[in-house]
Amino acid sequence: MSAGIRVARDAAELTAALAVRRAVFIDEQGVSEADELDGRDGEALHLIALEPDGTIVATCRLLAVGSKIKLGRVAVLDRARRRGLGLGLLLAADAHAKQIGGERIVLAAQTYALGLYEQAGYAVTSDVFLDADIEHVWMEKRL
């Protein structure tokens, strides 16, 4: 059975989503806690991917800035990768972004993951830049 993707419903699910981000960004990629925890989680819509037993294994967040939606913090635990969860989160993010009035989604993609975002319809809109010492590019998609 595959994982289900939906909006985080309560503080416990948000805490579990933050634990996924900690495992991926801080523990695995070496991003500082200050860079990862930017104080904006309270204003964001958080999507989560759950295993059949309810374990949260992937997450992302959406921040609305007028009709522009910023997608970020896309994280999938190592043990749950290569199962389509990243793409599933991106497609769910599209639907939720439309529901909250978004006309386009922007994101800063780590360059190693460009293929995933391009598969979901995003196009590169910037040169490579460093964020938390990791190469990124800005990408955008019209909804």
Side-chain angles (χ1 to χ4, degrees):
M1 183 182 235
S2 63
I5 296 173
R6 63 170 170 76
V7 173
R9 295 181 179 153
D10 56 31
E13 288 184 349
L14 179 55
T15 297
L18 294 174
V20 168
R21 285 173 31 193
R22 175 176 291 281
V24 172
F25 298 124
I26 297 172
D27 298 342
E28 184 180 321
Q29 295 183 350
V31 173
S32 74
E33 188 166 327
D35 282 336
E36 167 52 23
L37 301 176
D38 62 0
R40 302 203 63 196
D41 287 315
E43 62 191 278
L45 175 74
H46 298 267
L47 297 178
I48 54 174
L50 302 97
E51 295 285 31
D53 68 1
T55 302
I56 295 172
V57 294
T59 188
C60 68
R61 76 176 188 188
L62 297 167
L63 288 165
V65 182
S67 64
K68 178 175 75 173
I69 307 297
K70 184 171 183 214
L71 174 63
R73 305 310 200 263
V74 178
V76 179
L77 290 177
D78 184 49
R79 72 176 194 267
R81 291 183 189 148
R82 293 164 293 285
R83 294 178 16 205
L85 296 178
L87 183 58
L89 282 171
L90 296 178
L91 297 176
D94 287 354
H96 286 284
K98 287 179 188 176
Q99 286 176 358
I100 60 176
E103 296 177 5
R104 63 190 174 109
I105 299 181
V106 298
L107 60 89
Q110 293 183 7
T111 55
Y112 85 90
L114 281 176
L116 169 67
Y117 295 110
E118 288 171 339
Q119 183 180 359
Y122 287 86
V124 174
T125 60
S126 77
D127 291 330
V128 174
F129 64 92
L130 289 180
D131 184 8
D133 293 324
I134 299 170
E135 288 188 343
H136 287 72
V137 291
W138 282 105
M139 300 187 83
E140 183 174 318
K141 178 181 185 178
R142 286 219 164 277
L143 295 171

